[in-house]
Amino acid sequence: MTQTPPPNNRPPRDPFSEFKDDTEVVEDIVQNGERIRRRGIYLLPNLFTTAALFSGFFSVVAALNGNFGSAAIAIFVSMVLDGFDGRVARMTNTQSAFGEEYDSLADMLSFGVAPAIVAFAWILQDIGNLGWIAAFVYVAGAALRLARFNVQIGSTDKKWFIGLPSPSAAAVVAGFVWTFHSFEATAFGFKVLMAIIVAAVGILMVSNIRYYSFKEVDFKSPVPFVFLLAIVLAFVLISLEPAIMLLLLFGSYAASGPILAIMRRTGHAKPINSGGETAEEHMETNEAGTPATSVSPDEPEAAGAPETSEKPDERK
């Protein structure tokens, strides 16, 4: 008589287990002085990064379809979303190296490729080689700006940005497109002027000109009541003519760097005393043969920062 084999009590095998293992994100991080391995990614900050990436991609699609106003607005929306991901990560303690890299790649599309394509599709394509060369100078400047920022995390004075931040550069280009796209800009001189502006903004991103970062502004301390009235007035002015006001705002910020640099050289402005060695001073020290002072790994924003934190605001 044949006996029935005992039932198999083992749980059924997950057919997607190997796929999960092969596609899982694994990070080696330093926590409490110990190196540990963390699996998976944090959802909340990366949702904001994905939304910013989507907005940048939408800007490209809108520009290719001739909707230049929507394309410019999408770049500003991407700026707002991009400003949240790092702050949300720090508030919820969900920093990660994956988030840092993902954010940087999203910035390259939203603030590097998208503004160049929007400007090229709008007006730069009408002036031939000069147009696409100016657009490429901007894209290359944004890529170099982001790469330099990534390798200088923790080694520069947080009070200053070295070079124009890429979101501000994108805002200048988007502001011009949003303000002037409804006009029949057929003059060749205006088209050449736009090519010069786009290329100049790209060069400012990789320059050594310092821009104030506003990171030392303390939003938790009490301020005079008139400050709140000024903020309300600013919102009112922006709401009346958002395109013009945003262009003036970010255009003034982009121009402030070169203007202050000239004033410092001529002695009309106080020289910068950051209290810390900048990247340029670090290079000059090495060229002079003096050993450079490195940042101690025990300091909170030194070695290990890219492993455990979202990319700091450049901006970001």
Side-chain angles (χ1 to χ4, degrees):
M1 183 175 179
T2 305
Q3 295 182 352
T4 303
N8 187 359
N9 295 327
R10 291 182 301 176
R13 184 174 179 274
D14 184 3
F16 297 101
S17 60
E18 293 184 1
F19 175 79
K20 293 178 180 177
D21 294 338
D22 293 339
T23 59
E24 190 65 89
V25 176
V26 180
E27 296 182 10
D28 289 329
I29 66 172
V30 177
Q31 189 172 9
N32 297 327
E34 297 181 359
R35 185 174 293 274
I36 62 176
R37 176 161 293 186
R38 182 174 62 196
R39 304 175 69 88
I41 62 174
Y42 293 114
L43 182 61
L44 185 58
N46 291 309
L47 280 178
F48 282 97
T49 304
T50 302
L53 178 65
F54 173 80
S55 186
F57 180 74
F58 176 82
S59 175
V60 173
V61 174
L64 295 179
N65 290 327
N67 300 323
F68 301 114
S70 299
I73 293 173
I75 292 176
F76 283 104
V77 172
S78 184
M79 287 181 58
V80 175
L81 294 170
D82 181 66
F84 280 113
D85 55 3
R87 289 172 174 81
V88 169
R90 287 187 290 273
M91 290 173 59
T92 58
N93 196 26
T94 53
Q95 306 98 320
S96 67
F98 174 86
E100 175 191 345
E101 298 300 327
Y102 185 33
D103 179 67
S104 183
L105 293 173
D107 287 353
M108 183 58 206
L109 173 65
S110 299
F111 309 132
V113 176
I117 291 181
V118 171
F120 180 80
W122 169 49
I123 203 169
L124 297 185
Q125 63 178 340
D126 297 339
I127 53 178
N129 291 338
L130 179 62
W132 71 259
I133 289 174
F136 175 73
V137 169
Y138 178 91
V139 173
L144 294 170
R145 170 74 175 88
L146 291 169
R148 183 175 68 176
F149 177 80
N150 288 341
V151 300
Q152 288 182 348
I153 292 177
S155 63
T156 56
D157 187 358
K158 283 191 172 184
K159 185 178 179 181
W160 304 97
F161 292 132
I162 306 300
L164 180 65
S166 57
S168 299
V172 172
V173 177
F176 272 103
V177 176
W178 193 5
T179 302
F180 296 105
H181 79 279
S182 59
F183 296 93
E184 292 294 333
T186 58
F188 181 78
F190 178 77
K191 297 175 182 179
V192 172
L193 176 62
M194 284 305 307
I196 295 174
I197 291 174
V198 171
V201 170
I203 294 173
L204 282 177
M205 283 190 283
V206 293
S207 68
N208 291 330
I209 296 176
R210 292 175 175 83
Y211 286 86
Y212 189 64
S213 67
F214 300 100
K215 292 182 179 180
E216 291 189 345
V217 177
D218 188 2
F219 293 98
K220 298 179 181 180
S221 300
V223 296
F225 180 73
V226 69
F227 278 44
L228 181 59
L229 295 179
I231 293 174
V232 172
L233 179 60
F235 277 115
V236 170
L237 292 175
I238 292 176
S239 64
L240 292 177
E241 290 291 344
I244 297 176
M245 294 308 300
L246 289 174
L247 175 58
L248 291 176
L249 176 64
F250 286 99
S252 300
Y253 180 69
S256 67
I259 292 174
L260 291 176
I262 294 174
M263 292 177 64
R264 294 187 196 103
R265 287 186 176 273
T266 57
H268 292 85
K270 183 180 179 181
I272 295 176
N273 184 15
S274 61
E277 188 180 45
T278 64
E280 294 78 13
E281 293 166 349
H282 178 83
M283 294 174 61
E284 292 173 359
T285 304
N286 287 343
E287 290 174 357
T290 305
T293 303
S294 60
V295 182
S296 171
D298 296 330
E299 293 180 10
E301 303 201 16
E307 294 179 321
T308 59
S309 62
E310 284 278 342
K311 178 181 176 181
D313 293 38
E314 198 184 305
R315 15 38 25 199
K316 201 173 207 164

mmCIF file with all atom_site columns, all heavy atoms in Angstrom, residues 237-255:
data_model
loop_
_atom_site.group_PDB
_atom_site.id
_atom_site.type_symbol
_atom_site.label_atom_id
_atom_site.label_alt_id
_atom_site.label_comp_id
_atom_site.label_asym_id
_atom_site.label_entity_id
_atom_site.label_seq_id
_atom_site.pdbx_PDB_ins_code
_atom_site.Cartn_x
_atom_site.Cartn_y
_atom_site.Cartn_z
_atom_site.occupancy
_atom_site.B_iso_or_equiv
_atom_site.pdbx_formal_charge
_atom_site.auth_seq_id
_atom_site.auth_comp_id
_atom_site.auth_asym_id
_atom_site.auth_atom_id
_atom_site.pdbx_PDB_model_num
ATOM 1   N N   . LEU A 1 237 ? 3.645  92.436 -4.948  1.00 0.00 ? 237 LEU A N   1
ATOM 2   C CA  . LEU A 1 237 ? 4.305  92.880 -6.174  1.00 0.00 ? 237 LEU A CA  1
ATOM 3   C C   . LEU A 1 237 ? 4.538  91.719 -7.124  1.00 0.00 ? 237 LEU A C   1
ATOM 4   O O   . LEU A 1 237 ? 4.339  91.844 -8.342  1.00 0.00 ? 237 LEU A O   1
ATOM 5   C CB  . LEU A 1 237 ? 5.631  93.566 -5.832  1.00 0.00 ? 237 LEU A CB  1
ATOM 6   C CG  . LEU A 1 237 ? 5.526  94.907 -5.085  1.00 0.00 ? 237 LEU A CG  1
ATOM 7   C CD1 . LEU A 1 237 ? 6.915  95.410 -4.715  1.00 0.00 ? 237 LEU A CD1 1
ATOM 8   C CD2 . LEU A 1 237 ? 4.778  95.931 -5.920  1.00 0.00 ? 237 LEU A CD2 1
ATOM 9   N N   . ILE A 1 238 ? 4.954  90.587 -6.589  1.00 0.00 ? 238 ILE A N   1
ATOM 10  C CA  . ILE A 1 238 ? 5.196  89.425 -7.442  1.00 0.00 ? 238 ILE A CA  1
ATOM 11  C C   . ILE A 1 238 ? 3.896  88.930 -8.064  1.00 0.00 ? 238 ILE A C   1
ATOM 12  O O   . ILE A 1 238 ? 3.850  88.524 -9.234  1.00 0.00 ? 238 ILE A O   1
ATOM 13  C CB  . ILE A 1 238 ? 5.884  88.307 -6.638  1.00 0.00 ? 238 ILE A CB  1
ATOM 14  C CG1 . ILE A 1 238 ? 7.309  88.742 -6.262  1.00 0.00 ? 238 ILE A CG1 1
ATOM 15  C CG2 . ILE A 1 238 ? 5.928  87.002 -7.430  1.00 0.00 ? 238 ILE A CG2 1
ATOM 16  C CD1 . ILE A 1 238 ? 8.037  87.746 -5.375  1.00 0.00 ? 238 ILE A CD1 1
ATOM 17  N N   . SER A 1 239 ? 2.807  88.955 -7.295  1.00 0.00 ? 239 SER A N   1
ATOM 18  C CA  . SER A 1 239 ? 1.528  88.480 -7.819  1.00 0.00 ? 239 SER A CA  1
ATOM 19  C C   . SER A 1 239 ? 0.987  89.378 -8.917  1.00 0.00 ? 239 SER A C   1
ATOM 20  O O   . SER A 1 239 ? 0.251  88.917 -9.804  1.00 0.00 ? 239 SER A O   1
ATOM 21  C CB  . SER A 1 239 ? 0.511  88.371 -6.680  1.00 0.00 ? 239 SER A CB  1
ATOM 22  O OG  . SER A 1 239 ? 0.227  89.648 -6.127  1.00 0.00 ? 239 SER A OG  1
ATOM 23  N N   . LEU A 1 240 ? 1.311  90.678 -8.891  1.00 0.00 ? 240 LEU A N   1
ATOM 24  C CA  . LEU A 1 240 ? 0.837  91.600 -9.917  1.00 0.00 ? 240 LEU A CA  1
ATOM 25  C C   . LEU A 1 240 ? 1.483  91.303 -11.271 1.00 0.00 ? 240 LEU A C   1
ATOM 26  O O   . LEU A 1 240 ? 0.797  91.218 -12.291 1.00 0.00 ? 240 LEU A O   1
ATOM 27  C CB  . LEU A 1 240 ? 1.118  93.047 -9.494  1.00 0.00 ? 240 LEU A CB  1
ATOM 28  C CG  . LEU A 1 240 ? 0.317  93.574 -8.306  1.00 0.00 ? 240 LEU A CG  1
ATOM 29  C CD1 . LEU A 1 240 ? 0.760  94.985 -7.948  1.00 0.00 ? 240 LEU A CD1 1
ATOM 30  C CD2 . LEU A 1 240 ? -1.180 93.549 -8.600  1.00 0.00 ? 240 LEU A CD2 1
ATOM 31  N N   . GLU A 1 241 ? 2.782  91.173 -11.296 1.00 0.00 ? 241 GLU A N   1
ATOM 32  C CA  . GLU A 1 241 ? 3.522  90.858 -12.521 1.00 0.00 ? 241 GLU A CA  1
ATOM 33  C C   . GLU A 1 241 ? 4.574  89.811 -12.195 1.00 0.00 ? 241 GLU A C   1
ATOM 34  O O   . GLU A 1 241 ? 5.758  90.131 -12.035 1.00 0.00 ? 241 GLU A O   1
ATOM 35  C CB  . GLU A 1 241 ? 4.173  92.116 -13.097 1.00 0.00 ? 241 GLU A CB  1
ATOM 36  C CG  . GLU A 1 241 ? 3.218  93.117 -13.681 1.00 0.00 ? 241 GLU A CG  1
ATOM 37  C CD  . GLU A 1 241 ? 2.565  92.617 -14.959 1.00 0.00 ? 241 GLU A CD  1
ATOM 38  O OE1 . GLU A 1 241 ? 3.069  91.648 -15.551 1.00 0.00 ? 241 GLU A OE1 1
ATOM 39  O OE2 . GLU A 1 241 ? 1.546  93.209 -15.359 1.00 0.00 ? 241 GLU A OE2 1
ATOM 40  N N   . PRO A 1 242 ? 4.176  88.548 -12.068 1.00 0.00 ? 242 PRO A N   1
ATOM 41  C CA  . PRO A 1 242 ? 5.138  87.524 -11.621 1.00 0.00 ? 242 PRO A CA  1
ATOM 42  C C   . PRO A 1 242 ? 6.332  87.365 -12.548 1.00 0.00 ? 242 PRO A C   1
ATOM 43  O O   . PRO A 1 242 ? 7.460  87.195 -12.085 1.00 0.00 ? 242 PRO A O   1
ATOM 44  C CB  . PRO A 1 242 ? 4.290  86.244 -11.563 1.00 0.00 ? 242 PRO A CB  1
ATOM 45  C CG  . PRO A 1 242 ? 3.091  86.523 -12.406 1.00 0.00 ? 242 PRO A CG  1
ATOM 46  C CD  . PRO A 1 242 ? 2.839  87.982 -12.290 1.00 0.00 ? 242 PRO A CD  1
ATOM 47  N N   . ALA A 1 243 ? 6.105  87.412 -13.853 1.00 0.00 ? 243 ALA A N   1
ATOM 48  C CA  . ALA A 1 243 ? 7.212  87.212 -14.788 1.00 0.00 ? 243 ALA A CA  1
ATOM 49  C C   . ALA A 1 243 ? 8.253  88.315 -14.644 1.00 0.00 ? 243 ALA A C   1
ATOM 50  O O   . ALA A 1 243 ? 9.460  88.051 -14.519 1.00 0.00 ? 243 ALA A O   1
ATOM 51  C CB  . ALA A 1 243 ? 6.679  87.162 -16.220 1.00 0.00 ? 243 ALA A CB  1
ATOM 52  N N   . ILE A 1 244 ? 7.792  89.560 -14.651 1.00 0.00 ? 244 ILE A N   1
ATOM 53  C CA  . ILE A 1 244 ? 8.724  90.693 -14.581 1.00 0.00 ? 244 ILE A CA  1
ATOM 54  C C   . ILE A 1 244 ? 9.419  90.746 -13.223 1.00 0.00 ? 244 ILE A C   1
ATOM 55  O O   . ILE A 1 244 ? 10.639 90.951 -13.144 1.00 0.00 ? 244 ILE A O   1
ATOM 56  C CB  . ILE A 1 244 ? 7.981  92.010 -14.865 1.00 0.00 ? 244 ILE A CB  1
ATOM 57  C CG1 . ILE A 1 244 ? 7.429  92.004 -16.281 1.00 0.00 ? 244 ILE A CG1 1
ATOM 58  C CG2 . ILE A 1 244 ? 8.898  93.204 -14.649 1.00 0.00 ? 244 ILE A CG2 1
ATOM 59  C CD1 . ILE A 1 244 ? 6.598  93.220 -16.625 1.00 0.00 ? 244 ILE A CD1 1
ATOM 60  N N   . MET A 1 245 ? 8.661  90.550 -12.155 1.00 0.00 ? 245 MET A N   1
ATOM 61  C CA  . MET A 1 245 ? 9.241  90.662 -10.819 1.00 0.00 ? 245 MET A CA  1
ATOM 62  C C   . MET A 1 245 ? 10.250 89.546 -10.557 1.00 0.00 ? 245 MET A C   1
ATOM 63  O O   . MET A 1 245 ? 11.299 89.773 -9.956  1.00 0.00 ? 245 MET A O   1
ATOM 64  C CB  . MET A 1 245 ? 8.135  90.638 -9.771  1.00 0.00 ? 245 MET A CB  1
ATOM 65  C CG  . MET A 1 245 ? 7.196  91.846 -9.826  1.00 0.00 ? 245 MET A CG  1
ATOM 66  S SD  . MET A 1 245 ? 8.066  93.435 -9.792  1.00 0.00 ? 245 MET A SD  1
ATOM 67  C CE  . MET A 1 245 ? 8.917  93.313 -8.213  1.00 0.00 ? 245 MET A CE  1
ATOM 68  N N   . LEU A 1 246 ? 9.946  88.333 -10.985 1.00 0.00 ? 246 LEU A N   1
ATOM 69  C CA  . LEU A 1 246 ? 10.896 87.237 -10.792 1.00 0.00 ? 246 LEU A CA  1
ATOM 70  C C   . LEU A 1 246 ? 12.147 87.445 -11.635 1.00 0.00 ? 246 LEU A C   1
ATOM 71  O O   . LEU A 1 246 ? 13.260 87.134 -11.193 1.00 0.00 ? 246 LEU A O   1
ATOM 72  C CB  . LEU A 1 246 ? 10.236 85.903 -11.139 1.00 0.00 ? 246 LEU A CB  1
ATOM 73  C CG  . LEU A 1 246 ? 9.171  85.412 -10.151 1.00 0.00 ? 246 LEU A CG  1
ATOM 74  C CD1 . LEU A 1 246 ? 8.481  84.162 -10.666 1.00 0.00 ? 246 LEU A CD1 1
ATOM 75  C CD2 . LEU A 1 246 ? 9.799  85.145 -8.777  1.00 0.00 ? 246 LEU A CD2 1
ATOM 76  N N   . LEU A 1 247 ? 11.973 87.988 -12.840 1.00 0.00 ? 247 LEU A N   1
ATOM 77  C CA  . LEU A 1 247 ? 13.143 88.289 -13.664 1.00 0.00 ? 247 LEU A CA  1
ATOM 78  C C   . LEU A 1 247 ? 14.013 89.343 -12.996 1.00 0.00 ? 247 LEU A C   1
ATOM 79  O O   . LEU A 1 247 ? 15.249 89.215 -12.958 1.00 0.00 ? 247 LEU A O   1
ATOM 80  C CB  . LEU A 1 247 ? 12.698 88.760 -15.042 1.00 0.00 ? 247 LEU A CB  1
ATOM 81  C CG  . LEU A 1 247 ? 13.820 89.234 -15.982 1.00 0.00 ? 247 LEU A CG  1
ATOM 82  C CD1 . LEU A 1 247 ? 14.845 88.132 -16.214 1.00 0.00 ? 247 LEU A CD1 1
ATOM 83  C CD2 . LEU A 1 247 ? 13.241 89.723 -17.311 1.00 0.00 ? 247 LEU A CD2 1
ATOM 84  N N   . LEU A 1 248 ? 13.392 90.404 -12.462 1.00 0.00 ? 248 LEU A N   1
ATOM 85  C CA  . LEU A 1 248 ? 14.159 91.441 -11.772 1.00 0.00 ? 248 LEU A CA  1
ATOM 86  C C   . LEU A 1 248 ? 14.838 90.889 -10.529 1.00 0.00 ? 248 LEU A C   1
ATOM 87  O O   . LEU A 1 248 ? 15.995 91.226 -10.232 1.00 0.00 ? 248 LEU A O   1
ATOM 88  C CB  . LEU A 1 248 ? 13.235 92.605 -11.392 1.00 0.00 ? 248 LEU A CB  1
ATOM 89  C CG  . LEU A 1 248 ? 12.694 93.449 -12.539 1.00 0.00 ? 248 LEU A CG  1
ATOM 90  C CD1 . LEU A 1 248 ? 11.716 94.490 -12.017 1.00 0.00 ? 248 LEU A CD1 1
ATOM 91  C CD2 . LEU A 1 248 ? 13.831 94.116 -13.304 1.00 0.00 ? 248 LEU A CD2 1
ATOM 92  N N   . LEU A 1 249 ? 14.139 90.022 -9.794  1.00 0.00 ? 249 LEU A N   1
ATOM 93  C CA  . LEU A 1 249 ? 14.697 89.466 -8.565  1.00 0.00 ? 249 LEU A CA  1
ATOM 94  C C   . LEU A 1 249 ? 15.926 88.618 -8.841  1.00 0.00 ? 249 LEU A C   1
ATOM 95  O O   . LEU A 1 249 ? 17.008 88.851 -8.276  1.00 0.00 ? 249 LEU A O   1
ATOM 96  C CB  . LEU A 1 249 ? 13.624 88.643 -7.851  1.00 0.00 ? 249 LEU A CB  1
ATOM 97  C CG  . LEU A 1 249 ? 14.064 87.910 -6.578  1.00 0.00 ? 249 LEU A CG  1
ATOM 98  C CD1 . LEU A 1 249 ? 14.466 88.909 -5.505  1.00 0.00 ? 249 LEU A CD1 1
ATOM 99  C CD2 . LEU A 1 249 ? 12.942 87.000 -6.073  1.00 0.00 ? 249 LEU A CD2 1
ATOM 100 N N   . PHE A 1 250 ? 15.782 87.644 -9.721  1.00 0.00 ? 250 PHE A N   1
ATOM 101 C CA  . PHE A 1 250 ? 16.905 86.735 -9.983  1.00 0.00 ? 250 PHE A CA  1
ATOM 102 C C   . PHE A 1 250 ? 17.962 87.395 -10.872 1.00 0.00 ? 250 PHE A C   1
ATOM 103 O O   . PHE A 1 250 ? 19.150 87.066 -10.767 1.00 0.00 ? 250 PHE A O   1
ATOM 104 C CB  . PHE A 1 250 ? 16.400 85.440 -10.617 1.00 0.00 ? 250 PHE A CB  1
ATOM 105 C CG  . PHE A 1 250 ? 15.693 84.547 -9.648  1.00 0.00 ? 250 PHE A CG  1
ATOM 106 C CD1 . PHE A 1 250 ? 14.312 84.516 -9.582  1.00 0.00 ? 250 PHE A CD1 1
ATOM 107 C CD2 . PHE A 1 250 ? 16.410 83.747 -8.771  1.00 0.00 ? 250 PHE A CD2 1
ATOM 108 C CE1 . PHE A 1 250 ? 13.649 83.697 -8.684  1.00 0.00 ? 250 PHE A CE1 1
ATOM 109 C CE2 . PHE A 1 250 ? 15.771 82.924 -7.866  1.00 0.00 ? 250 PHE A CE2 1
ATOM 110 C CZ  . PHE A 1 250 ? 14.383 82.902 -7.816  1.00 0.00 ? 250 PHE A CZ  1
ATOM 111 N N   . GLY A 1 251 ? 17.535 88.322 -11.732 1.00 0.00 ? 251 GLY A N   1
ATOM 112 C CA  . GLY A 1 251 ? 18.523 89.057 -12.512 1.00 0.00 ? 251 GLY A CA  1
ATOM 113 C C   . GLY A 1 251 ? 19.409 89.925 -11.627 1.00 0.00 ? 251 GLY A C   1
ATOM 114 O O   . GLY A 1 251 ? 20.625 90.010 -11.833 1.00 0.00 ? 251 GLY A O   1
ATOM 115 N N   . SER A 1 252 ? 18.798 90.542 -10.614 1.00 0.00 ? 252 SER A N   1
ATOM 116 C CA  . SER A 1 252 ? 19.585 91.344 -9.676  1.00 0.00 ? 252 SER A CA  1
ATOM 117 C C   . SER A 1 252 ? 20.543 90.483 -8.878  1.00 0.00 ? 252 SER A C   1
ATOM 118 O O   . SER A 1 252 ? 21.693 90.875 -8.618  1.00 0.00 ? 252 SER A O   1
ATOM 119 C CB  . SER A 1 252 ? 18.646 92.097 -8.729  1.00 0.00 ? 252 SER A CB  1
ATOM 120 O OG  . SER A 1 252 ? 17.792 92.957 -9.449  1.00 0.00 ? 252 SER A OG  1
ATOM 121 N N   . TYR A 1 253 ? 20.088 89.286 -8.495  1.00 0.00 ? 253 TYR A N   1
ATOM 122 C CA  . TYR A 1 253 ? 20.972 88.392 -7.741  1.00 0.00 ? 253 TYR A CA  1
ATOM 123 C C   . TYR A 1 253 ? 22.146 87.937 -8.602  1.00 0.00 ? 253 TYR A C   1
ATOM 124 O O   . TYR A 1 253 ? 23.291 87.881 -8.133  1.00 0.00 ? 253 TYR A O   1
ATOM 125 C CB  . TYR A 1 253 ? 20.174 87.184 -7.259  1.00 0.00 ? 253 TYR A CB  1
ATOM 126 C CG  . TYR A 1 253 ? 20.984 86.186 -6.471  1.00 0.00 ? 253 TYR A CG  1
ATOM 127 C CD1 . TYR A 1 253 ? 21.463 86.487 -5.199  1.00 0.00 ? 253 TYR A CD1 1
ATOM 128 C CD2 . TYR A 1 253 ? 21.276 84.938 -7.003  1.00 0.00 ? 253 TYR A CD2 1
ATOM 129 C CE1 . TYR A 1 253 ? 22.214 85.584 -4.484  1.00 0.00 ? 253 TYR A CE1 1
ATOM 130 C CE2 . TYR A 1 253 ? 22.025 84.011 -6.286  1.00 0.00 ? 253 TYR A CE2 1
ATOM 131 C CZ  . TYR A 1 253 ? 22.490 84.339 -5.037  1.00 0.00 ? 253 TYR A CZ  1
ATOM 132 O OH  . TYR A 1 253 ? 23.238 83.413 -4.326  1.00 0.00 ? 253 TYR A OH  1
ATOM 133 N N   . ALA A 1 254 ? 21.877 87.618 -9.879  1.00 0.00 ? 254 ALA A N   1
ATOM 134 C CA  . ALA A 1 254 ? 22.956 87.202 -10.775 1.00 0.00 ? 254 ALA A CA  1
ATOM 135 C C   . ALA A 1 254 ? 23.955 88.321 -10.999 1.00 0.00 ? 254 ALA A C   1
ATOM 136 O O   . ALA A 1 254 ? 25.168 88.085 -11.099 1.00 0.00 ? 254 ALA A O   1
ATOM 137 C CB  . ALA A 1 254 ? 22.374 86.720 -12.100 1.00 0.00 ? 254 ALA A CB  1
ATOM 138 N N   . ALA A 1 255 ? 23.459 89.565 -11.070 1.00 0.00 ? 255 ALA A N   1
ATOM 139 C CA  . ALA A 1 255 ? 24.359 90.700 -11.297 1.00 0.00 ? 255 ALA A CA  1
ATOM 140 C C   . ALA A 1 255 ? 25.090 91.121 -10.031 1.00 0.00 ? 255 ALA A C   1
ATOM 141 O O   . ALA A 1 255 ? 26.136 91.776 -10.110 1.00 0.00 ? 255 ALA A O   1
ATOM 142 C CB  . ALA A 1 255 ? 23.560 91.883 -11.849 1.00 0.00 ? 255 ALA A CB  1
#
